[in-house]
Amino acid sequence: MGRRSRGVEAAIAVLVLALSTACGSRLPESDFEHRDRGTPSAPAGDRAPVRVGIITSATSPVGGNAFTGPRDGAKAFFERLNARGGIDGRRVEVRECDDGGSGVGNNECVHRLIDEDEVVALVATTALDYAGASRVSRARVPDIGGQPIGPAYDTYPHLYGIYGSLAPRDGTTGWDGEQYGGTEVYRYFAREHGARTAAVVSYNQPASAAYARLVERGLKAEGYKVVAEQVDFALPNFRAVAADLKDQGADLVFDAIDGHGNARLCEAMDDVGADVTAKVTHVQNWTSTVAEDYEDAPRCRNALWATGASRNHEDTEHPAVREFRDATEGLKTHSQWQLEGWAAAMWFTDAAKSCLDEGITRACVDDHMNRSQGYTADGLLVPVRFDRLAEPPQSRRSCLSVARWEDGRGWISQGDMNDTCFEVPQLPYRP
């Protein structure tokens, strides 16, 4: 029981990622000082490989493959890049490290990649416990396109999360320990689908309950009637929850529970006939495995919606998505995290190419990242910015990528993410 509890707590920690991607603080990061940074690198004109590191919690309490999507997408990009001649004739050499989902393991990976392998940059970091983040920052190693599972990307300079940041990033998380997220997801469903009643399902477990309260607060700020549903973690009665959702007439269902619990909740909703406008999930669950994961819940499965800040990985009419899918054709499954890992690798490559005259060094790549305002990875990302704001924003214009699952067709984009934008309040929360 203790072991499973640890796994779910980790899964709920990952759910906070939904706040970063769907509720939006995608903006700042900038290096606040430009001192001389002696970094291992090859001089301009050298043909030596360009070495990058990828840290992934490939084995972790959450379970196998939960965090490997960004790594796989980044590796696919670099493989295709190398097949086309690399960066000005220099191939990219990827050094991987599995931190096991622990802080100790993460520090070991940081030490190995930075001090021993002497990588120029980290790319597509996906760490359950990014304990080595401060060490990366002190070494002035650019960490490019990482997933903001924890607060590191809103805390330290030289770390550039995939969605950007607006925070000062001076060693203190956010603004005096508080981060901010927007309400664009809730605004979208209210404006576009007339949703007025939303249910939030959580476990009676601290991390789950805390995240649920955060979602409830955002929904209330957008004028929703909120139905709070909590189930016992050890013996969850999802059928009772589903019956109450039906009685309350919920339009939307949000959750702060793990993937297995979500599947059981959907099964219970189908059993009692609880039909909703949308069962809303987040970027980590935006995968091609929906049919298998929700095999016994066809109605609920076809009410699944996903929101994020990157272009739908099944939108192959877009040339950048089409190239990603062509390069990852051999993978058994596809996911939004893979696409974001691909975008992170592209981002590093664009930064490295800007350094060809002076040499691809940590310092040069980092300086380029500090100027990466409005970066889109050829249209795969909502424009990313890094702006160090002295005060937290009270509101901001936030854009949203939205897709809906449909059996036989997969994830169907709902409008263009660069046009699905709202001016929304920014609400504080403590990570």
Side-chain angles (χ1 to χ4, degrees), residues 350-361:
D350 288 342
K353 286 179 177 178
S354 75
C355 298
L356 292 178
D357 290 340
E358 63 181 277
I360 302 173
T361 66

Side-chain angles (χ1 to χ4, degrees), residues 251-336:
D251 301 310
L252 309 177
V253 177
F254 294 86
D255 69 86
I257 61 180
D258 59 330
H260 175 69
N262 260 305
R264 292 184 60 193
L265 173 61
C266 264
E267 291 173 25
M269 290 171 62
D270 271 20
D271 287 345
V272 303
D275 294 325
V276 296
T277 299
K279 170 73 177 69
V280 187
T281 190
H282 51 85
V283 66
Q284 192 193 12
N285 291 334
W286 194 338
T287 73
S288 63
T289 62
V290 168
E292 295 83 9
D293 296 342
Y294 295 85
E295 180 179 8
D296 297 322
R299 285 202 308 275
C300 181
R301 182 174 68 234
N302 282 280
L304 285 176
W305 293 63
T307 63
S310 55
R311 193 172 298 277
N312 181 6
H313 70 269
E314 295 194 11
D315 184 10
T316 53
E317 292 185 2
H318 191 280
V321 176
R322 189 162 57 248
E323 183 173 5
F324 158 73
R325 291 301 296 262
D326 287 346
T328 57
E329 187 178 8
L331 296 179
K332 293 181 179 179
T333 63
H334 286 92
S335 72
Q336 207 63 18

Side-chain angles (χ1 to χ4, degrees), residues 91-159:
R91 60 184 297 274
V92 175
E93 179 182 311
V94 176
R95 295 293 179 94
E96 298 178 57
C97 192
D98 174 12
D99 68 10
S102 74
V104 172
N106 187 264
N107 272 309
E108 290 174 351
C109 281
V110 167
H111 168 67
R112 194 185 89 192
L113 295 176
I114 290 178
D115 302 323
E116 297 178 6
D117 293 342
E118 297 185 335
V119 299
V120 171
L122 299 177
V123 178
T125 299
T126 312
L128 179 59
D129 183 357
Y130 198 177
S134 61
R135 187 172 188 168
V136 174
S137 180
R138 286 196 304 272
R140 298 180 175 83
V141 175
D143 176 340
I144 299 171
Q147 290 291 340
I149 294 169
Y153 291 96
D154 275 318
T155 302
Y156 300 106
H158 314 295
L159 274 61

Side-chain angles (χ1 to χ4, degrees), residues 2 39 59 63 65 88 133 155 169 172 197 202 204 214 224 236 238 261 281 286 288 300 304 318 321 361 371 397 425:
T39 59
T59 56
N65 301 320
D88 194 36
T155 302
R169 309 192 45 170
T172 298
T197 300
S202 65
N204 60 342
L214 191 60
Y224 282 82
F238 287 115
T281 190
W286 194 338
S288 63
C300 181
L304 285 176
H318 191 280
V321 176
T361 66
R371 299 190 299 272
R397 185 175 185 269

Side-chain angles (χ1 to χ4, degrees), residues 29-30 32 137 154-157 167-177 388-390:
E29 159 65 15
S30 74
F32 53 90
S137 180
D154 275 318
T155 302
Y156 300 106
R169 309 192 45 170
D170 55 5
T172 298
T173 297
W175 293 265
D176 297 324
R388 295 187 300 113
L389 302 183

